[in-house]
Amino acid sequence: MNTVREHPAHSASSDPTEGRLYQVRTYGCQMNVHDSERISGMLDAAGYRRAAQDQTPDLVVFNTCAVRENADNKLYGNLSHLAPVKAERPGMQIAVGGCLAQKDKQAVLDRAPWVDVVFGTHNLGSLPALLERARHNDRAQVEIADALEHFPSTLPARRESTYAGWVSVSVGCNNTCTFCIVPALRGKEIDRRPGDVLAEVQALVEEGVLEVTLLGQNVNAYGMSFSDPDQPRNRGAFADLLRACGQIDGLERVRFTSPHPAEFTDDVIHAMAETANVCPQLHMPLQSGSDRILKAMRRSYRQRKFLGIIEKVRAAMPDAAITTDIIVGFPGETEADFQDTLDVVAQARFSSAFTFQYSPRPGTPAAEMEDQVPPEVVRERYLRLTALQDDICLQENRRRVGRVEELLVTAGDGRKNTETRRRSGRARDGRLVHFAVAETQTMPRPGDVVEVRISAAAPHHLLADDGVLSHRRTRAGDLHEAGTATTTPPIGVGLGLPGIGRPTVEPVDTGCASGSAV
């Protein structure tokens, strides 16, 4: 879908992108965060410069989410705040992309006519050209592709971290969960070639990155939907990919998210246990412990299968940290159904859980279901669930007291670190640790690796107050200290990739282009 809307004329320079400052604001999941890295990489390649915190940007890009509650209210509230800023800055542009843009399409301009560009999840690579066309023709541009045009990896990326990187193994999802709108906005699953995935991992490692997280809506379905017709289907492709990551020199940690319990296989468990740099951490979404509710959600597994996976993982990796997602108050959930969820949580003993109070999402089957649970009931059940999980988290964390943990030092994660001479890091199993640094010790930098002894536990973090036992300075730490951004070039084969770089100015056809949004 291509539409245009006239804007008041504004000034344009002979080289309109040169030196223009941009800011990308991201909402939603890891996929959106990774897409924003690609957006920043494209804008860098097109001649824009990233705005510092104390600078007012000439371009603001919103990369939106349609899954979170009140996502549209948050977006339009922020757009309203920018309207007077834009009115006082001739030439300033605003772009809206991501899942909400894919869903709402033209409605974004109807509610916020001062927006310059609306683009979807399938055509990230079009953004620089759309911005140039909007500027050249003084008209807003809406381009929502009907299907994926290219893998995000075929775009350059400006990474948010010098020490940890996201790598997509696939885009889209073939599941039909009744509460989820993602398949409608991201499309059917398409898998990247293993060689392209590994090439991107290698490129990150060569830039100094120590940790890589493999991303997919359903990573353990990887291998069944290759875009390359010459690549044979392979149910064991994800386990093979994990083992191949184990052969990359300098790659110290490998994580992945998210698998689906219905398709989680023993070969992945074996690959995790037998590959030294694959972290003993697994995110396994439960959603509900009730078989009846799982069926209503169209989650093609049941309580027994889920707990069986947990048992196998713990048999292979006794210290594995297992996290999950849980929805409370799905339509039709009874007290007995909720008790089933509490029972599974008590048995599984998750190291942490992302818990959500169900609320209807327009466009999903669940939003039209009868027997919507009253909000006050959902809230009361949610509080009971989080109280149980917090108690389990605290018990499990207390078992770590006295252990020596290797931490990858992170930026952020601790609001009081400056006051307490602490830093924060992630253990190999993903747990957050705040650790003290003695006055006589050099302060570790984000990206460095330290060893500490755990001295105390809280439900959502561990403490190490006895100083640093060892400290390994890394290239990632050097780059973070220098303020150098990690960048990676386009990698892999595209699916009709538009040119990257400074876009040429194109006249705008006032008619509608072919194709429509999902």
CSV table of all heavy atoms in Angstrom, one decimal, residues 287-310:
chain,number,residue,atom,x,y,z
A,287,GLN,N,2.5,-19.9,29.2
A,287,GLN,CA,1.3,-19.2,28.9
A,287,GLN,C,0.2,-19.6,29.9
A,287,GLN,O,-0.5,-18.8,30.5
A,287,GLN,CB,0.8,-19.4,27.5
A,287,GLN,CG,1.9,-19.0,26.5
A,287,GLN,CD,2.4,-17.5,26.6
A,287,GLN,OE1,2.0,-16.8,27.5
A,287,GLN,NE2,3.3,-17.2,25.7
A,288,SER,N,-0.1,-20.9,30.1
A,288,SER,CA,-1.1,-21.4,31.0
A,288,SER,C,-0.7,-22.8,31.4
A,288,SER,O,-0.2,-23.6,30.6
A,288,SER,CB,-2.5,-21.4,30.4
A,288,SER,OG,-3.4,-21.9,31.3
A,289,GLY,N,-1.1,-23.2,32.7
A,289,GLY,CA,-0.9,-24.6,33.1
A,289,GLY,C,-2.1,-25.4,32.9
A,289,GLY,O,-2.1,-26.6,33.3
A,290,SER,N,-3.2,-24.8,32.4
A,290,SER,CA,-4.4,-25.6,32.2
A,290,SER,C,-4.5,-26.1,30.8
A,290,SER,O,-4.4,-25.4,29.8
A,290,SER,CB,-5.6,-24.6,32.5
A,290,SER,OG,-6.8,-25.2,31.9
A,291,ASP,N,-4.7,-27.4,30.7
A,291,ASP,CA,-4.8,-28.0,29.3
A,291,ASP,C,-6.0,-27.4,28.6
A,291,ASP,O,-6.0,-27.3,27.4
A,291,ASP,CB,-5.0,-29.6,29.5
A,291,ASP,CG,-3.7,-30.3,29.8
A,291,ASP,OD1,-2.7,-29.6,29.9
A,291,ASP,OD2,-3.7,-31.5,30.1
A,292,ARG,N,-7.1,-27.2,29.3
A,292,ARG,CA,-8.3,-26.6,28.7
A,292,ARG,C,-8.0,-25.2,28.1
A,292,ARG,O,-8.4,-24.9,27.0
A,292,ARG,CB,-9.4,-26.5,29.7
A,292,ARG,CG,-10.8,-26.3,29.0
A,292,ARG,CD,-11.9,-26.2,30.1
A,292,ARG,NE,-11.8,-25.1,31.0
A,292,ARG,CZ,-12.3,-23.9,30.6
A,292,ARG,NH1,-12.9,-23.7,29.5
A,292,ARG,NH2,-12.1,-22.8,31.5
A,293,ILE,N,-7.3,-24.4,28.9
A,293,ILE,CA,-7.0,-23.0,28.4
A,293,ILE,C,-5.9,-23.1,27.3
A,293,ILE,O,-6.0,-22.3,26.3
A,293,ILE,CB,-6.5,-22.2,29.6
A,293,ILE,CG1,-7.6,-22.0,30.5
A,293,ILE,CG2,-6.0,-20.8,29.1
A,293,ILE,CD1,-8.9,-21.3,30.0
A,294,LEU,N,-4.9,-24.0,27.4
A,294,LEU,CA,-3.9,-24.2,26.3
A,294,LEU,C,-4.6,-24.5,25.0
A,294,LEU,O,-4.2,-24.0,23.9
A,294,LEU,CB,-2.9,-25.2,26.7
A,294,LEU,CG,-1.9,-24.9,27.8
A,294,LEU,CD1,-1.1,-26.1,28.2
A,294,LEU,CD2,-1.0,-23.7,27.3
A,295,LYS,N,-5.6,-25.3,25.1
A,295,LYS,CA,-6.4,-25.7,23.8
A,295,LYS,C,-7.1,-24.4,23.3
A,295,LYS,O,-7.1,-24.2,22.1
A,295,LYS,CB,-7.4,-26.8,24.1
A,295,LYS,CG,-8.2,-27.2,22.9
A,295,LYS,CD,-9.1,-28.4,23.3
A,295,LYS,CE,-9.9,-28.8,22.0
A,295,LYS,NZ,-10.8,-30.0,22.3
A,296,ALA,N,-7.7,-23.7,24.2
A,296,ALA,CA,-8.4,-22.4,23.7
A,296,ALA,C,-7.4,-21.4,23.2
A,296,ALA,O,-7.7,-20.6,22.3
A,296,ALA,CB,-9.2,-21.8,24.9
A,297,MET,N,-6.2,-21.4,23.7
A,297,MET,CA,-5.1,-20.6,23.1
A,297,MET,C,-4.5,-21.1,21.8
A,297,MET,O,-3.7,-20.4,21.2
A,297,MET,CB,-4.0,-20.5,24.2
A,297,MET,CG,-4.3,-19.7,25.4
A,297,MET,SD,-2.9,-19.7,26.5
A,297,MET,CE,-3.3,-18.5,27.7
A,298,ARG,N,-4.9,-22.3,21.4
A,298,ARG,CA,-4.2,-23.0,20.3
A,298,ARG,C,-2.7,-23.2,20.5
A,298,ARG,O,-1.9,-23.0,19.6
A,298,ARG,CB,-4.5,-22.2,19.0
A,298,ARG,CG,-5.9,-22.3,18.5
A,298,ARG,CD,-6.0,-21.7,17.1
A,298,ARG,NE,-7.3,-21.3,16.8
A,298,ARG,CZ,-7.7,-20.3,15.9
A,298,ARG,NH1,-6.7,-19.6,15.3
A,298,ARG,NH2,-8.9,-20.0,15.7
A,299,ARG,N,-2.4,-23.5,21.7
A,299,ARG,CA,-1.0,-23.9,22.1
A,299,ARG,C,-0.9,-25.4,22.0
A,299,ARG,O,-1.5,-26.1,22.8
A,299,ARG,CB,-0.6,-23.4,23.5
A,299,ARG,CG,-0.7,-21.9,23.7
A,299,ARG,CD,0.4,-21.1,23.0
A,299,ARG,NE,1.6,-21.3,23.7
A,299,ARG,CZ,2.8,-20.8,23.3
A,299,ARG,NH1,2.8,-20.1,22.2
A,299,ARG,NH2,3.9,-21.0,24.0
A,300,SER,N,-0.2,-25.9,21.0
A,300,SER,CA,-0.3,-27.3,20.7
A,300,SER,C,0.6,-28.2,21.6
A,300,SER,O,1.4,-29.0,21.1
A,300,SER,CB,0.0,-27.5,19.2
A,300,SER,OG,1.2,-26.8,18.8
A,301,TYR,N,0.5,-28.0,22.9
A,301,TYR,CA,1.1,-28.9,23.8
A,301,TYR,C,0.3,-28.8,25.1
A,301,TYR,O,-0.7,-28.0,25.2
A,301,TYR,CB,2.6,-28.4,24.2
A,301,TYR,CG,2.6,-27.0,24.7
A,301,TYR,CD1,2.4,-26.7,26.1
A,301,TYR,CD2,2.7,-25.9,23.8
A,301,TYR,CE1,2.4,-25.4,26.5
A,301,TYR,CE2,2.7,-24.6,24.3
A,301,TYR,CZ,2.5,-24.3,25.6
A,301,TYR,OH,2.5,-23.0,26.1
A,302,ARG,N,0.5,-29.7,26.0
A,302,ARG,CA,-0.3,-29.8,27.2
A,302,ARG,C,0.7,-29.8,28.4
A,302,ARG,O,1.9,-29.9,28.3
A,302,ARG,CB,-1.2,-31.0,27.2
A,302,ARG,CG,-2.2,-31.0,26.1
A,302,ARG,CD,-3.2,-29.8,26.2
A,302,ARG,NE,-4.1,-29.7,25.1
A,302,ARG,CZ,-4.0,-28.9,24.0
A,302,ARG,NH1,-3.0,-28.1,23.9
A,302,ARG,NH2,-4.9,-28.9,23.1
A,303,GLN,N,0.1,-29.7,29.6
A,303,GLN,CA,0.9,-29.6,30.8
A,303,GLN,C,1.9,-30.7,30.9
A,303,GLN,O,3.1,-30.4,31.3
A,303,GLN,CB,-0.1,-29.6,32.0
A,303,GLN,CG,0.6,-29.5,33.4
A,303,GLN,CD,-0.3,-29.8,34.5
A,303,GLN,OE1,-0.2,-30.8,35.2
A,303,GLN,NE2,-1.3,-28.9,34.7
A,304,ARG,N,1.5,-31.9,30.6
A,304,ARG,CA,2.4,-33.0,30.8
A,304,ARG,C,3.7,-32.9,29.9
A,304,ARG,O,4.8,-33.1,30.4
A,304,ARG,CB,1.7,-34.3,30.5
A,304,ARG,CG,2.5,-35.6,30.7
A,304,ARG,CD,1.7,-36.8,30.5
A,304,ARG,NE,2.5,-38.0,30.6
A,304,ARG,CZ,2.0,-39.3,30.5
A,304,ARG,NH1,0.7,-39.4,30.1
A,304,ARG,NH2,2.8,-40.3,30.6
A,305,LYS,N,3.5,-32.5,28.7
A,305,LYS,CA,4.6,-32.3,27.8
A,305,LYS,C,5.5,-31.2,28.2
A,305,LYS,O,6.8,-31.4,28.2
A,305,LYS,CB,4.1,-32.0,26.3
A,305,LYS,CG,5.2,-31.8,25.3
A,305,LYS,CD,4.7,-31.6,23.9
A,305,LYS,CE,5.9,-31.3,22.9
A,305,LYS,NZ,6.7,-32.5,22.8
A,306,PHE,N,4.9,-30.1,28.7
A,306,PHE,CA,5.7,-29.0,29.2
A,306,PHE,C,6.6,-29.4,30.3
A,306,PHE,O,7.9,-29.2,30.3
A,306,PHE,CB,4.8,-27.8,29.6
A,306,PHE,CG,5.6,-26.6,29.9
A,306,PHE,CD1,5.9,-25.6,29.0
A,306,PHE,CD2,6.1,-26.4,31.2
A,306,PHE,CE1,6.6,-24.5,29.3
A,306,PHE,CE2,6.8,-25.2,31.5
A,306,PHE,CZ,7.0,-24.3,30.6
A,307,LEU,N,6.1,-30.0,31.3
A,307,LEU,CA,6.8,-30.5,32.5
A,307,LEU,C,7.9,-31.5,32.1
A,307,LEU,O,9.0,-31.6,32.7
A,307,LEU,CB,5.9,-31.0,33.6
A,307,LEU,CG,5.1,-29.9,34.3
A,307,LEU,CD1,4.1,-30.5,35.2
A,307,LEU,CD2,6.0,-28.9,35.0
A,308,GLY,N,7.6,-32.3,31.1
A,308,GLY,CA,8.5,-33.3,30.6
A,308,GLY,C,9.8,-32.7,30.0
A,308,GLY,O,10.9,-33.2,30.2
A,309,ILE,N,9.6,-31.6,29.3
A,309,ILE,CA,10.7,-30.8,28.7
A,309,ILE,C,11.6,-30.3,29.8
A,309,ILE,O,12.8,-30.4,29.8
A,309,ILE,CB,10.2,-29.7,27.8
A,309,ILE,CG1,9.5,-30.3,26.6
A,309,ILE,CG2,11.4,-28.8,27.4
A,309,ILE,CD1,8.8,-29.2,25.7
A,310,ILE,N,10.9,-29.7,30.9
A,310,ILE,CA,11.7,-29.1,32.0
A,310,ILE,C,12.5,-30.2,32.7
A,310,ILE,O,13.7,-30.0,33.0
A,310,ILE,CB,10.7,-28.5,33.0
A,310,ILE,CG1,9.9,-27.4,32.3
A,310,ILE,CG2,11.5,-27.9,34.2
A,310,ILE,CD1,10.7,-26.3,31.7
